[in-house]
Amino acid sequence: MTSAPTADDPNLLDYRFNCDQRITAYTVIVNRALDNVPTIDDFEPAPAAYLQDGSTPDATVAWTCEGYLPSLASNCNTGTKGAFMGAWSWVAGSVDLIDPYCKNLPVGAKPGTPAEAQASVALVVTDVSGGQDGPFRLYYTGKKCAAVPDRAPAPVKPKAKPTPAKRTSKKHSTTTAKGTK
């Protein structure tokens, strides 16, 4: 599943994972730094489930996600008592971040404003016994993030153009020497 960003979801981030055990729930956590400022604008309320081949839809699993918005996480579960996703099956969903995934400078940032850190995406899963595993890091596979300075730079002042040297014209005078004989 690949979702294209839209005007309503400009920072859409797809996720896809599988587990080596049966699971009944999972949480996707997106964080930027230690400040715990909300990072998720909205999320896919019904992620897709696929069989082990990763492309055949699994009609026996229906994921439902919920949570507060904006937030740091979305919580998803199979919703039905006894329902689970099989081992090595796949989940594919998306979250729309408030700001871009990559490290960035806020639009219109004044010189010295710190850059916003790159997002970190993690996953916690709940198995059929109710035990939780994780957090596991979900790695970004999109285009490479551009290099961004740690702080907004001061505007570059244009270099002054060198003033051309003034040309002075020298008047040449000729002197004729009168010779004496």
Side-chain angles (χ1 to χ4, degrees), residues 83-134:
F84 61 86
M85 182 179 81
W88 302 112
S89 293
W90 290 87
V91 175
S94 62
V95 291
D96 181 45
L97 305 183
I98 293 170
D99 293 317
Y101 170 84
C102 296
K103 179 179 176 181
N104 65 87
L105 289 168
V107 176
K110 293 181 180 176
T113 301
E116 183 175 49
Q118 176 174 308
S120 175
V121 183
L123 172 74
V124 175
V125 296
T126 304
D127 66 24
V128 293
S129 73
Q132 292 186 322
D133 291 313

Side-chain angles (χ1 to χ4, degrees), residues 152-164:
V156 177
K157 293 180 182 178
K159 290 183 180 181
K161 293 183 181 179
T163 308

Side-chain angles (χ1 to χ4, degrees), residues 6-87:
T6 66
D8 290 336
D9 297 323
N11 301 308
L12 201 58
L13 188 63
D14 290 334
Y15 62 84
R16 182 177 168 89
F17 71 91
N18 68 356
C19 292
D20 62 357
Q21 58 188 319
R22 298 176 300 169
I23 64 170
T24 60
Y26 69 91
T27 300
V28 174
I29 305 160
V30 182
N31 203 347
R32 288 199 182 271
L34 300 176
D35 57 10
N36 287 324
V37 172
T39 53
I40 298 175
D41 181 43
D42 58 68
F43 51 83
E44 172 67 39
Y50 295 96
L51 296 175
Q52 292 177 355
D53 66 8
S55 60
T56 305
D58 185 346
T60 65
V61 178
W63 290 105
T64 301
C65 298
E66 52 192 25
Y68 293 102
L69 293 174
S71 70
L72 292 169
S74 68
N75 299 301
C76 306
N77 63 69
T78 54
T80 306
K81 186 168 174 72
F84 61 86
M85 182 179 81

